[in-house]
Amino acid sequence: MMTFKIAFRNVLRNRRRSAMTLLAIAVGVIGIVLFGDFVRFVTAGLETNAVDKVGHLEVFRTGYFAFGAGNPAEFGIDDYASVVKAIGDDPALAGKLSVVTPVVQLAGIAGNFALDVSKTFLGTGVVPSDRDRLRLWDEHGVNRRRLLPDSGLRDSDEARGIVGVGVARVLGLCEPLKLDGCPARPKKSGPDGAALAVNLAGLAEAERPSQSPPDDDLARIDLLAATAGGAPNVVNMLVSRAEPQAARELDDNFVAMHIALAQRLLYGRGTPKATGIVVQLRRTEDLAYARQRLAQMFSERHLDLEIRDFADLQPFYKQAVGMFRAIFLFISLIMGIIVLFTIVNTMGMSVMERTTEIGTARAMGVRRVGVRRVFLLEGAILGAIGSTIGAAFAQVIGMVVNRASLTWTPPGQAAPSPLEVLTANSMGFVTLVWFAIVLAATLAALIPANRGARLEVVDALRHV
Amino acid sequence: MSATMSAAARPETAAAPPPVVRFQNVVKTYDEDGLKVEAIRGVSFAIPKGRFSMIVGPSGSGKTTLLNLIGCIDRPTSGALEVCGEDVGTLSDDQVTDFRSRNIAFVFQTFNLFPVLTAYENVEYPLLLLRVPSAERRARTLAMLDAVGLSDHKDHRPNQLSGGQRQRVAIARALVKHPALVLADEPTANLDTRTGAEIISLLRKVQLEQSVSFVFSTHDPQLISHAEDTFPIRDGILLEARR
Ligand SMILES: Nc1ncnc2c1ncn2[C@@H]1O[C@H](COP(=O)(O)OP(=O)(O)O)[C@@H](O)[C@H]1O
Ligand SMILES: [Mg+2]
């Protein structure tokens, strides 16, 4: 108690110097807290952005991840419905699952034969309601203010699909889809395109009579792909919407459709399969557990399946998070060093000035460790006060930022989202920074504290 | 040499109490940057218990060095030193620190109060080091402040006190723990004659109440006139003691 009293009053003794020290610590804490929380926010955003599309885990037929791009149909999961059911019913995963849904990945050529245009596409077949539920995932609360537009897909309408804005532009769908800022196609040029279009149109015509009568208000495109057997196949898709995608390459190739339509294209009238099963968890922290549990389940059932997580599926996530972490580490290091040097300097001057006091205390019977304790405590007190001031200021800055309704477009995302820092979610992080800085301040004080403790009594007393 | 030996060599009768300090051939050499200064050049003497003893000599004669050795804040270069019956040369750093805490108190020429503590807290401090229970601590601190006439100033910080008042606080701080030995290195040197006289009479009064051994260093004639034992020192050598 007395030690604390002495330490605390000595902090107040040289107010100017203590104030400068506290300022340095506070600035360091503000920097670390604000930038660190921004990184936390970005990471949560990137994670959400990945997980609300590809889930946490995706189950593939073994080999699909490495070779499936060549011919996705070949790596279909047999009887995927029973696997989906087995995962959903697994008691070990009960309460941890958010969505378990099959998907079909495919590639082919999309054509708008009314205009004689076509282009390659990368398509996904989804269960529309499951896709909607995937998109609602928001464990970190980063999407609270985001309004999800109607996906444009319906469980009840197998013919419907959506395309990337780039696909819509190339296929001349800007007008029918009423897209803003989407230039109309220039008049088409050579005869080559026409010849191809005619060929595809022929195939498409053959497919058309078997379709239900189309809604007349929706644009129609034709999708051409090779079936699992290698034969060309064509289906009709009604384009209900253009959905912007973040990366240009994706936007120019993106097609999503009802899983039944994708299966008809890939498997024709054969047994429909899924190329993957997406597993979304309620909480990311269960990822490792769920992954291990699924692997165990598949091996018990002798299923030839492999599991990938969203970081495998979206390498961009890993890279972006890695980069932000590196910058954060760098900033923290610099701030930490500033704090360290300030404390060493301040406490060093303190020890110098109080040499006679140290000698007096030692003569009166204070052990070396007692001298060290006072100065360590002073470092800790400076650290604690400075950190508290810094955290409070950061909180105020955070409130101002949040009130300002700033938006930003995170890397890898198409639409801007609200920028929010230092929300209730950040308290754990702020507490951690607080303790880290107090610890750093205490450790920094160790150097001058030891110098004080090592003084010989007579030398200290002789000091003027 | 025979003069210096005589104090220690004096036969102790059964009735006489053992001395509070005993030096045997103590040498203290300072070695600063290879320059050796022999501050204490082989002294052997004993300071009797419960008396007002003074080490007297001109500046540079070795008074402070001798007092530091008695106070166990410095160690002899050679020779044996016994304080309060303990061979202090054999103690470890922490042991000797605890020994000081229990047995020895200092009154410094420059008072050396802790500026961040009030008069009360300064006096209380040695009792905290000795882990005296709080009620007893409080009673003893207040009584001690009263004894030095500073009850009204107990909440003042040192910078709010005059030189004489500060030295009173320092005396209260020294005596509150009932030490066996109180050491004061020229306690009146930083005080004017009148305040010095007040401090001396205060010390005399306390010494009569508590049976403490006082050892001062001084060349202040006013203080010397109160000495019960005088140990004159010149150039690190003790001359014949006067009693
Ligand atoms: N730390 C030291 N280093 C070197 N010489 C010292 C030191 N302390 C004292 N001396 C020398 O030892 C001698 C005795 O000094 P001191 O004990 O302070 O005498 P006094 O207190 O009687 O003035 C002096 O010559 C002084 O210069
Ligand atoms: Mg001296």
Side-chain angles (χ1 to χ4, degrees):
Chain A
M1 195 54 222
M2 191 61 157
T3 307
F4 185 82
K5 204 188 286 180
I6 291 175
F8 189 76
R9 289 192 193 160
N10 272 306
V11 167
L12 297 181
R13 185 160 163 192
N14 199 325
R15 278 167 208 247
R16 211 181 116 82
R17 193 167 64 206
S18 291
M20 294 309 291
T21 310
L22 293 178
L23 185 72
I25 299 172
V27 168
V29 169
I30 291 173
I32 294 174
V33 161
L34 280 182
F35 189 73
D37 198 61
F38 176 69
V39 170
R40 191 197 58 80
F41 171 78
V42 169
T43 306
L46 289 169
E47 182 187 307
T48 304
N49 190 38
V51 168
D52 75 1
K53 289 183 186 58
V54 302
H56 287 96
L57 296 167
E58 192 165 349
V59 176
F60 299 108
R61 172 105 164 261
T62 303
Y64 175 89
F65 192 73
F67 310 111
N71 183 3
E74 197 184 325
F75 291 93
I77 302 170
D78 302 316
D79 196 13
Y80 66 86
S82 72
V83 180
V84 169
K85 183 161 164 24
I87 296 172
D89 291 347
D90 184 38
L93 294 175
K96 297 193 189 309
L97 299 171
S98 161
V99 179
V100 182
T101 185
V103 292
V104 172
Q105 302 289 347
L106 70 168
I109 295 170
N112 182 354
F113 301 116
L115 294 180
D116 269 357
V117 288
S118 64
K119 81 170 299 306
T120 54
F121 75 92
L122 292 170
T124 314
V126 297
V127 178
S129 58
D130 285 349
R131 183 176 190 263
D132 289 345
R133 283 199 294 133
L134 277 177
R135 305 220 133 190
L136 290 178
W137 190 86
D138 193 17
E139 182 188 346
H140 309 297
V142 292
N143 278 343
R144 268 174 294 141
R145 290 199 254 156
R146 190 176 79 174
L147 280 177
L148 276 175
D150 181 351
S151 73
L153 298 169
R154 298 280 180 276
D155 281 358
S156 57
D157 190 346
E158 297 186 359
R160 279 207 202 192
I162 58 178
V163 296
V165 172
V167 174
R169 191 171 52 237
V170 175
L171 293 183
L173 300 175
C174 290
E175 206 187 318
L177 291 172
K178 300 177 186 68
L179 297 179
D180 294 334
C182 178
R185 270 190 73 85
K187 280 283 151 243
K188 62 181 291 291
S189 48
D192 287 359
L196 174 69
V198 168
N199 280 343
L200 289 175
L203 268 166
E205 282 308 327
E207 175 76 1
R208 205 154 290 169
S210 68
Q211 300 269 316
S212 53
D215 323 33
D216 272 325
D217 51 333
L218 292 184
R220 169 199 300 275
I221 59 173
D222 296 290
L223 304 177
L224 167 77
T227 64
N233 192 14
V234 170
V235 295
N236 260 199
M237 187 178 98
L238 299 176
V239 182
S240 62
R241 188 170 153 254
E243 187 179 85
Q245 304 298 311
R248 168 144 193 154
E249 315 87 81
L250 187 59
D251 202 43
D252 284 349
N253 289 288
F254 175 78
V255 175
M257 68 199 86
H258 196 292
I259 188 168
L261 186 65
Q263 286 168 335
R264 210 162 67 226
L265 184 53
L266 267 194
Y267 302 105
R269 293 187 175 81
T271 322
K273 299 178 183 179
T275 57
I277 297 170
V278 168
V279 178
Q280 188 184 58
L281 303 168
R282 284 185 202 285
R283 296 148 64 89
T284 303
E285 66 179 35
D286 291 331
L287 195 149
Y289 171 79
R291 184 173 191 157
Q292 172 255 321
R293 172 65 202 147
L294 288 181
Q296 184 191 356
M297 178 197 269
F298 298 156
S299 86
E300 277 168 10
R301 290 168 180 244
H302 306 294
L303 293 170
D304 187 20
L305 300 175
E306 63 177 335
I307 307 158
R308 300 281 164 170
D309 65 24
F310 67 91
D312 297 331
L313 298 171
Q314 304 232 315
F316 175 76
Y317 168 81
K318 243 191 243 174
Q319 293 161 358
V321 168
M323 186 189 76
F324 275 109
R325 294 234 167 108
I327 298 174
F328 171 66
L329 221 69
F330 180 71
I331 289 184
S332 304
L333 212 67
I334 301 248
M335 296 294 189
I337 287 172
I338 291 174
V339 168
L340 243 64
F341 270 94
T342 311
I343 296 272
V344 169
N345 184 45
T346 300
M347 300 302 300
M349 287 201 265
S350 236
V351 168
M352 280 277 281
E353 285 170 3
R354 280 150 64 192
T355 300
T356 309
E357 283 167 55
I358 294 171
T360 307
R362 295 272 290 116
M364 287 169 66
V366 175
R367 290 183 180 189
R368 291 187 196 274
V369 65
V371 173
R372 188 179 301 126
R373 194 180 300 139
V374 171
F375 287 101
L376 285 185
L377 200 57
E378 279 181 50
I381 290 171
L382 283 170
I385 299 177
S387 293
T388 307
I389 295 172
F393 261 94
Q395 201 61 248
V396 171
I397 296 171
M399 259 152 67
V400 171
V401 169
N402 295 346
R403 285 274 164 78
S405 304
L406 301 179
T407 61
W408 82 305
T409 307
Q413 202 155 302
S417 56
L419 178 63
E420 276 196 339
V421 290
L422 289 172
T423 58
N425 287 340
S426 323
M427 287 300 91
F429 170 67
V430 175
T431 312
L432 194 74
V433 172
W434 192 90
F435 277 107
I437 293 294
V438 174
L439 186 71
T442 312
L443 288 180
L446 195 60
I447 301 165
N450 275 338
R451 200 186 319 142
R454 272 201 304 268
L455 286 170
E456 290 303 329
V457 183
V458 279
D459 295 337
L461 282 173
R462 213 152 34 105
H463 181 95
V464 187
Chain B
M1 217 44 193
S2 63
T4 56
M5 292 302 287
S6 64
R10 186 162 24 84
E12 280 166 27
T13 58
V20 66
V21 176
R22 198 204 305 266
F23 278 70
Q24 226 133 40
N25 279 321
V26 169
V27 174
K28 177 67 189 179
T29 313
Y30 291 111
D31 186 353
E32 233 149 63
D33 308 323
L35 201 76
K36 282 194 181 0
V37 179
E38 212 170 46
I40 300 294
R41 304 201 250 177
V43 303
S44 301
F45 74 111
I47 299 175
K49 210 175 203 161
R51 313 252 299 177
F52 225 57
S53 309
M54 303 210 187
I55 297 163
V56 179
S59 187
S61 56
K63 303 185 296 293
T64 299
T65 305
L66 204 60
L67 225 53
N68 288 347
L69 292 171
I70 297 170
C72 305
I73 53 177
D74 206 355
R75 289 175 190 267
T77 309
S78 69
L81 174 58
E82 207 176 273
V83 181
C84 302
E86 184 100 36
D87 181 1
V88 292
T90 61
L91 300 179
S92 74
D93 191 74
D94 278 348
Q95 282 171 332
V96 86
T97 302
D98 295 347
F99 176 82
R100 285 199 299 269
S101 185
R102 284 192 308 275
N103 300 299
I104 301 171
F106 294 86
V107 175
F108 299 96
Q109 188 180 341
T110 47
F111 325 134
N112 292 18
L113 298 176
F114 296 116
V116 295
L117 300 183
T118 63
Y120 177 90
E121 289 162 342
N122 266 291
V123 176
E124 183 191 22
Y125 193 68
L127 299 181
L128 280 161
L129 291 178
L130 289 169
R131 301 178 198 283
V132 173
S134 73
E136 185 191 338
R137 206 165 66 217
R138 186 173 166 73
R140 276 168 70 176
T141 304
L142 289 173
M144 204 62 232
L145 279 165
D146 191 44
V148 299
L150 283 175
S151 296
D152 298 343
H153 294 76
K154 67 182 173 63
D155 294 326
H156 287 48
R157 296 266 184 103
N159 62 5
Q160 298 166 313
L161 298 172
S162 71
Q165 287 170 328
R166 287 182 209 183
Q167 196 59 304
R168 285 162 185 272
V169 176
I171 290 166
R173 177 176 71 175
L175 292 164
V176 74
K177 67 182 181 184
H178 303 319
L181 187 57
V182 174
L183 305 176
D185 193 8
E186 308 198 31
T188 56
N190 275 17
L191 301 172
D192 59 62
T193 319
R194 213 178 64 109
T195 318
E198 280 171 23
I199 292 295
I200 294 164
S201 61
L202 174 67
L203 287 166
R204 280 303 278 176
K205 189 186 97 183
V206 186
Q207 199 247 347
L208 292 174
E209 287 164 8
Q210 301 184 10
S211 61
V212 195
S213 311
F214 280 79
V215 181
F216 297 162
S217 82
T218 189
H219 51 243
D220 174 7
Q222 192 188 5
L223 187 52
I224 296 168
S225 66
H226 290 88
E228 291 178 288
D229 301 295
T230 314
F231 299 89
I233 185 170
R234 288 279 181 293
D235 298 328
I237 293 179
L238 209 66
L239 310 177
E240 180 71 61
R242 281 192 299 270
R243 330 197 85 221

